Amino acid sequence: MCTLEKNTYTNINLRKKMTKADIVAKISEKLGLEKGDVQATVESFMEEVKNSLETGDNVYLRGFGSFIIKTRAEKTGRNISKNTTIKIPAHNIPAFKPAKIFVDGVKMNTEVKN
C-alpha cells in the first residue's frame, strides 16, 4: 500500500462515530431516566418514522429536519459481467433533509477534515 492510500484510509477513520447505544446512554444520563426506558423510546421513535415513510407520509421535525420520500426516475444501467443493458425502474427511497439551523450549526461548529 502506498503512503497516499494509507493516509486516505486514516483520514476516513478520524471522524467520531455515535451509535444508538451512545445516544441512549447520553439521553439517560442527561435526563436521569433508566436506559431501558430511553432505549424503548428511541426504538419507538425510529419505528414511527419508518412506518410513516412506508405508508407514504413525510415526517417534519421543526429545527431538526425532515424525513422525506424521494422518487428516483427510471434509468438504464449496465450489467458489466454480461455486457448487457438493464432497465432500472422508477422507485422511492427514504431521505433526510436537515433543517437550515441544523446545517448552519454543523458548519459553524465542526472543522473540515481532509
Side-chain angles (χ1 to χ4, degrees), residues 5 8 24 26 44 55 62-63 65 73 76 87 91 102 109:
E5 288 178 32
T8 303
V24 167
K26 281 190 178 255
S44 251
T55 59
R62 188 176 305 248
T76 303
K87 186 182 285 189
H91 59 279
F102 184 4
N109 298 314

Side-chain angles (χ1 to χ4, degrees), residues 75-104:
K75 63 182 179 181
T76 303
R78 293 198 51 82
N79 180 342
I80 58 173
S81 64
K82 294 181 181 177
N83 198 24
T84 59
T85 60
I86 56 172
K87 186 182 285 189
I88 301 169
H91 59 279
N92 293 328
I93 59 163
F96 177 74
K97 182 179 178 189
K100 185 179 183 325
I101 194 166
F102 184 4
V103 172
D104 292 343

Side-chain angles (χ1 to χ4, degrees), residues 31-96:
L31 298 179
L33 299 171
E34 294 290 325
K35 283 186 181 181
D37 294 340
V38 174
Q39 181 163 354
T41 303
V42 170
E43 295 274 347
S44 251
F45 169 77
M46 293 185 331
E47 189 67 28
E48 285 304 315
V49 169
K50 188 176 99 174
N51 289 341
S52 293
L53 292 174
E54 286 175 351
T55 59
D57 299 329
N58 292 334
V59 178
Y60 302 99
L61 303 172
R62 188 176 305 248
F64 184 72
S66 303
F67 294 92
I68 59 175
I69 300 168
K70 286 188 175 184
T71 301
R72 294 276 169 95
E74 182 180 281
K75 63 182 179 181
T76 303
R78 293 198 51 82
N79 180 342
I80 58 173
S81 64
K82 294 181 181 177
N83 198 24
T84 59
T85 60
I86 56 172
K87 186 182 285 189
I88 301 169
H91 59 279
N92 293 328
I93 59 163
F96 177 74

Side-chain angles (χ1 to χ4, degrees), residues 2-19:
C2 75
T3 306
L4 178 62
E5 288 178 32
K6 184 177 181 183
N7 288 339
T8 303
Y9 291 125
T10 304
N11 287 340
I12 291 171
N13 294 326
L14 290 178
R15 294 249 185 240
K16 295 177 185 171
K17 298 174 188 159
M18 180 173 259
T19 64

